mmCIF file of all heavy atoms in Angstrom:
data_model
loop_
_atom_site.group_PDB
_atom_site.id
_atom_site.type_symbol
_atom_site.label_atom_id
_atom_site.label_comp_id
_atom_site.label_asym_id
_atom_site.label_seq_id
_atom_site.Cartn_x
_atom_site.Cartn_y
_atom_site.Cartn_z
ATOM 1 N N THR A 1 -2.667 0.347 15.846
ATOM 2 C CA THR A 1 -1.335 0.348 16.463
ATOM 3 C C THR A 1 -0.360 1.310 15.799
ATOM 4 O O THR A 1 0.729 1.525 16.334
ATOM 5 C CB THR A 1 -0.722 -1.075 16.424
ATOM 6 O OG1 THR A 1 -0.609 -1.506 15.053
ATOM 7 C CG2 THR A 1 -1.597 -2.051 17.216
ATOM 8 N N GLY A 2 -0.720 1.871 14.646
ATOM 9 C CA GLY A 2 0.192 2.773 13.949
ATOM 10 C C GLY A 2 -0.381 3.283 12.659
ATOM 11 O O GLY A 2 -1.536 2.998 12.306
ATOM 12 N N GLN A 3 0.419 4.051 11.983
ATOM 13 C CA GLN A 3 0.034 4.569 10.671
ATOM 14 C C GLN A 3 1.286 4.793 9.829
ATOM 15 O O GLN A 3 2.412 4.734 10.345
ATOM 16 C CB GLN A 3 -0.772 5.856 10.798
ATOM 17 C CG GLN A 3 -0.066 6.995 11.522
ATOM 18 C CD GLN A 3 -1.006 8.145 11.790
ATOM 19 O OE1 GLN A 3 -2.112 7.958 12.324
ATOM 20 N NE2 GLN A 3 -0.572 9.358 11.453
ATOM 21 N N PHE A 4 1.110 5.042 8.533
ATOM 22 C CA PHE A 4 2.249 5.211 7.624
ATOM 23 C C PHE A 4 1.859 6.163 6.511
ATOM 24 O O PHE A 4 0.677 6.324 6.198
ATOM 25 C CB PHE A 4 2.661 3.847 7.052
ATOM 26 C CG PHE A 4 1.559 3.087 6.362
ATOM 27 C CD1 PHE A 4 1.308 3.247 5.009
ATOM 28 C CD2 PHE A 4 0.758 2.213 7.075
ATOM 29 C CE1 PHE A 4 0.295 2.550 4.386
ATOM 30 C CE2 PHE A 4 -0.276 1.501 6.468
ATOM 31 C CZ PHE A 4 -0.496 1.674 5.113
ATOM 32 N N PRO A 5 2.863 6.822 5.915
ATOM 33 C CA PRO A 5 2.562 7.775 4.827
ATOM 34 C C PRO A 5 2.362 7.077 3.501
ATOM 35 O O PRO A 5 2.922 6.019 3.228
ATOM 36 C CB PRO A 5 3.825 8.645 4.793
ATOM 37 C CG PRO A 5 4.913 7.732 5.249
ATOM 38 C CD PRO A 5 4.276 6.818 6.269
ATOM 39 N N ILE A 6 1.514 7.671 2.650
ATOM 40 C CA ILE A 6 1.292 7.202 1.267
ATOM 41 C C ILE A 6 1.663 8.363 0.354
ATOM 42 O O ILE A 6 1.040 9.425 0.429
ATOM 43 C CB ILE A 6 -0.156 6.763 1.035
ATOM 44 C CG1 ILE A 6 -0.559 5.642 2.021
ATOM 45 C CG2 ILE A 6 -0.338 6.292 -0.394
ATOM 46 C CD1 ILE A 6 -2.008 5.268 1.963
ATOM 47 N N ALA A 7 2.664 8.129 -0.502
ATOM 48 C CA ALA A 7 3.175 9.243 -1.326
ATOM 49 C C ALA A 7 2.132 9.718 -2.345
ATOM 50 O O ALA A 7 1.985 10.919 -2.584
ATOM 51 C CB ALA A 7 4.454 8.816 -2.042
ATOM 52 N N LYS A 8 1.425 8.770 -2.979
ATOM 53 C CA LYS A 8 0.453 9.132 -4.006
ATOM 54 C C LYS A 8 -0.953 8.814 -3.477
ATOM 55 O O LYS A 8 -1.283 9.124 -2.349
ATOM 56 C CB LYS A 8 0.750 8.391 -5.301
ATOM 57 C CG LYS A 8 2.081 8.778 -5.934
ATOM 58 C CD LYS A 8 2.302 8.061 -7.267
ATOM 59 C CE LYS A 8 3.609 8.467 -7.890
ATOM 60 N NZ LYS A 8 3.848 7.777 -9.186
ATOM 61 N N GLU A 9 -1.769 8.190 -4.303
ATOM 62 C CA GLU A 9 -3.088 7.757 -3.862
ATOM 63 C C GLU A 9 -3.024 6.299 -3.431
ATOM 64 O O GLU A 9 -2.222 5.522 -3.956
ATOM 65 C CB GLU A 9 -4.111 7.931 -4.986
ATOM 66 C CG GLU A 9 -4.365 9.375 -5.375
ATOM 67 C CD GLU A 9 -5.379 9.503 -6.499
ATOM 68 O OE1 GLU A 9 -5.813 8.452 -7.049
ATOM 69 O OE2 GLU A 9 -5.750 10.648 -6.827
ATOM 70 N N GLY A 10 -3.866 5.911 -2.490
ATOM 71 C CA GLY A 10 -3.962 4.531 -2.079
ATOM 72 C C GLY A 10 -5.141 3.858 -2.765
ATOM 73 O O GLY A 10 -6.261 4.355 -2.707
ATOM 74 N N TRP A 11 -4.910 2.716 -3.414
ATOM 75 C CA TRP A 11 -5.986 2.000 -4.103
ATOM 76 C C TRP A 11 -6.109 0.564 -3.563
ATOM 77 O O TRP A 11 -6.938 0.289 -2.727
ATOM 78 C CB TRP A 11 -5.748 2.009 -5.620
ATOM 79 C CG TRP A 11 -5.993 3.343 -6.266
ATOM 80 C CD1 TRP A 11 -5.590 4.564 -5.818
ATOM 81 C CD2 TRP A 11 -6.736 3.588 -7.466
ATOM 82 N NE1 TRP A 11 -6.008 5.558 -6.684
ATOM 83 C CE2 TRP A 11 -6.699 5.001 -7.705
ATOM 84 C CE3 TRP A 11 -7.390 2.788 -8.372
ATOM 85 C CZ2 TRP A 11 -7.330 5.585 -8.798
ATOM 86 C CZ3 TRP A 11 -8.021 3.365 -9.484
ATOM 87 C CH2 TRP A 11 -7.988 4.746 -9.679
ATOM 88 N N GLY A 12 -5.258 -0.356 -4.040
ATOM 89 C CA GLY A 12 -5.403 -1.752 -3.634
ATOM 90 C C GLY A 12 -4.176 -2.299 -2.942
ATOM 91 O O GLY A 12 -3.069 -1.779 -3.090
ATOM 92 N N LEU A 13 -4.388 -3.389 -2.175
ATOM 93 C CA LEU A 13 -3.311 -4.063 -1.464
ATOM 94 C C LEU A 13 -3.432 -5.572 -1.609
ATOM 95 O O LEU A 13 -4.541 -6.110 -1.662
ATOM 96 C CB LEU A 13 -3.329 -3.734 0.029
ATOM 97 C CG LEU A 13 -2.877 -2.355 0.516
ATOM 98 C CD1 LEU A 13 -3.079 -2.240 2.023
ATOM 99 C CD2 LEU A 13 -1.422 -2.091 0.135
ATOM 100 N N THR A 14 -2.299 -6.256 -1.648
ATOM 101 C CA THR A 14 -2.226 -7.694 -1.518
ATOM 102 C C THR A 14 -0.828 -8.054 -1.024
ATOM 103 O O THR A 14 -0.015 -7.166 -0.774
ATOM 104 C CB THR A 14 -2.575 -8.425 -2.838
ATOM 105 O OG1 THR A 14 -2.772 -9.833 -2.577
ATOM 106 C CG2 THR A 14 -1.491 -8.273 -3.882
ATOM 107 N N THR A 15 -0.537 -9.348 -0.910
ATOM 108 C CA THR A 15 0.797 -9.766 -0.495
ATOM 109 C C THR A 15 1.165 -11.060 -1.207
ATOM 110 O O THR A 15 0.299 -11.906 -1.454
ATOM 111 C CB THR A 15 0.890 -9.950 1.027
ATOM 112 O OG1 THR A 15 2.198 -10.394 1.368
ATOM 113 C CG2 THR A 15 -0.123 -10.975 1.521
ATOM 114 N N ASP A 16 2.456 -11.209 -1.497
ATOM 115 C CA ASP A 16 2.976 -12.466 -2.041
ATOM 116 C C ASP A 16 3.606 -13.286 -0.944
ATOM 117 O O ASP A 16 4.241 -14.317 -1.211
ATOM 118 C CB ASP A 16 3.994 -12.185 -3.151
ATOM 119 C CG ASP A 16 5.189 -11.370 -2.668
ATOM 120 O OD1 ASP A 16 5.276 -11.033 -1.478
ATOM 121 O OD2 ASP A 16 6.055 -11.032 -3.533
ATOM 122 N N GLY A 17 3.427 -12.870 0.301
ATOM 123 C CA GLY A 17 3.991 -13.572 1.446
ATOM 124 C C GLY A 17 5.321 -12.997 1.922
ATOM 125 O O GLY A 17 5.702 -13.197 3.071
ATOM 126 N N ALA A 18 5.985 -12.261 1.035
ATOM 127 C CA ALA A 18 7.260 -11.622 1.392
ATOM 128 C C ALA A 18 7.155 -10.126 1.482
ATOM 129 O O ALA A 18 7.804 -9.480 2.322
ATOM 130 C CB ALA A 18 8.326 -12.007 0.370
ATOM 131 N N SER A 19 6.334 -9.534 0.616
ATOM 132 C CA SER A 19 6.154 -8.075 0.568
ATOM 133 C C SER A 19 4.678 -7.752 0.502
ATOM 134 O O SER A 19 3.844 -8.568 0.095
ATOM 135 C CB SER A 19 6.845 -7.488 -0.669
ATOM 136 O OG SER A 19 8.230 -7.747 -0.665
ATOM 137 N N ILE A 20 4.351 -6.531 0.865
ATOM 138 C CA ILE A 20 3.051 -5.961 0.585
ATOM 139 C C ILE A 20 3.099 -5.355 -0.799
ATOM 140 O O ILE A 20 4.079 -4.703 -1.171
ATOM 141 C CB ILE A 20 2.673 -4.883 1.634
ATOM 142 C CG1 ILE A 20 2.490 -5.557 3.010
ATOM 143 C CG2 ILE A 20 1.404 -4.147 1.232
ATOM 144 C CD1 ILE A 20 2.273 -4.563 4.139
ATOM 145 N N ILE A 21 2.069 -5.580 -1.612
ATOM 146 C CA ILE A 21 2.015 -5.055 -2.971
ATOM 147 C C ILE A 21 0.869 -4.048 -3.037
ATOM 148 O O ILE A 21 -0.256 -4.359 -2.625
ATOM 149 C CB ILE A 21 1.831 -6.183 -3.991
ATOM 150 C CG1 ILE A 21 2.925 -7.251 -3.828
ATOM 151 C CG2 ILE A 21 1.836 -5.623 -5.423
ATOM 152 C CD1 ILE A 21 2.695 -8.493 -4.642
ATOM 153 N N MET A 22 1.158 -2.863 -3.534
ATOM 154 C CA MET A 22 0.172 -1.763 -3.527
ATOM 155 C C MET A 22 -0.040 -1.206 -4.926
ATOM 156 O O MET A 22 0.907 -1.028 -5.703
ATOM 157 C CB MET A 22 0.665 -0.658 -2.602
ATOM 158 C CG MET A 22 -0.274 0.530 -2.493
ATOM 159 S SD MET A 22 0.306 1.808 -1.335
ATOM 160 C CE MET A 22 1.702 2.493 -2.253
ATOM 161 N N SER A 23 -1.287 -0.877 -5.242
ATOM 162 C CA SER A 23 -1.599 -0.154 -6.475
ATOM 163 C C SER A 23 -2.006 1.269 -6.147
ATOM 164 O O SER A 23 -2.468 1.558 -5.035
ATOM 165 C CB SER A 23 -2.752 -0.843 -7.234
ATOM 166 O OG SER A 23 -3.962 -0.795 -6.476
ATOM 167 N N ASP A 24 -1.831 2.164 -7.111
ATOM 168 C CA ASP A 24 -2.202 3.568 -6.896
ATOM 169 C C ASP A 24 -2.989 4.142 -8.064
ATOM 170 O O ASP A 24 -3.073 5.358 -8.244
ATOM 171 C CB ASP A 24 -0.973 4.427 -6.615
ATOM 172 C CG ASP A 24 0.084 4.346 -7.717
ATOM 173 O OD1 ASP A 24 -0.257 3.910 -8.843
ATOM 174 O OD2 ASP A 24 1.235 4.736 -7.480
#
């Protein structure tokens, strides 16, 4: 349904229920 930019490298994702949390 869509896409989004990643400024650096994309590694891992999770969520705390309020936000998406990303590692690079």
Side-chain angles (χ1 to χ4, degrees):
T1 60
Q3 59 189 50
F4 54 90
I6 302 173
K8 296 183 179 179
E9 294 180 354
W11 287 45
L13 286 177
T14 192
T15 179
D16 60 2
S19 300
I20 293 174
I21 305 171
M22 180 178 72
S23 65
D24 57 17

